[in-house]
Amino acid sequence: MELEEARKRLLAERAELMGSLGYTEESGQQDREAETADGPQDLADGAPSLTAEYEDDSIAETLRGRLAQVERALRRVDDGTWGRSVRSGVPIPAERLEADPSAELTVEEAAE
């Protein structure tokens, strides 16, 4: 994959992640507001809203992690180190980069 193609794909993924993260965080905030607006409840009554809140928080955490990985990849594109393992500096195979342009390690290193 060419450097500019990688940049284009990473920027597109970053935009998608940021949109998803914004939606998820907003949904989590709505869950929290609904929970407090309903006032005191039986513990069983609050379970669905708490479950939704925890799910939103978990999804948001995953999205933040992926977004951070994409941001690091974009920095590597800018500084000329993209396509090499951040651990060993060896080239990451083209097939791996095609599948995930934000890959930071070779398959073998990731498996360790």
Side-chain angles (χ1 to χ4, degrees):
M1 172 184 317
E2 297 292 321
L3 199 59
E4 285 309 309
E5 176 65 20
R7 181 188 316 274
K8 180 180 169 184
R9 286 183 55 192
L10 289 164
L11 289 171
E13 184 174 358
R14 179 175 70 178
E16 183 178 331
L17 287 165
M18 290 174 76
S20 295
L21 182 58
Y23 173 80
T24 302
E25 288 175 336
E26 182 179 319
S27 178
Q29 183 61 34
Q30 289 173 354
D31 291 340
R32 285 187 245 323
E33 289 171 5
E35 184 180 331
T36 57
D38 292 341
Q41 302 173 357
D42 183 333
L43 287 178
D45 292 341
S49 63
L50 284 175
T51 300
E53 182 181 330
Y54 292 141
E55 286 175 358
D56 290 335
D57 290 347
S58 178
I59 292 168
E61 183 69 24
T62 300
L63 291 170
R64 280 188 211 97
R66 181 64 183 167
L67 182 58
Q69 184 178 357
V70 168
E71 293 287 352
R72 290 190 303 269
L74 284 166
R75 283 194 297 277
R76 289 193 308 278
V77 166
D78 291 340
D79 71 17
T81 60
W82 179 82
R84 296 194 163 273
S85 166
V86 297
R87 183 184 300 163
S88 65
V90 301
I92 298 171
E95 299 82 23
R96 180 160 172 79
L97 292 171
E98 186 67 38
D100 181 7
S102 69
E104 298 178 317
L105 304 170
T106 65
V107 171
E108 296 78 19
E109 291 171 333
E112 292 177 356

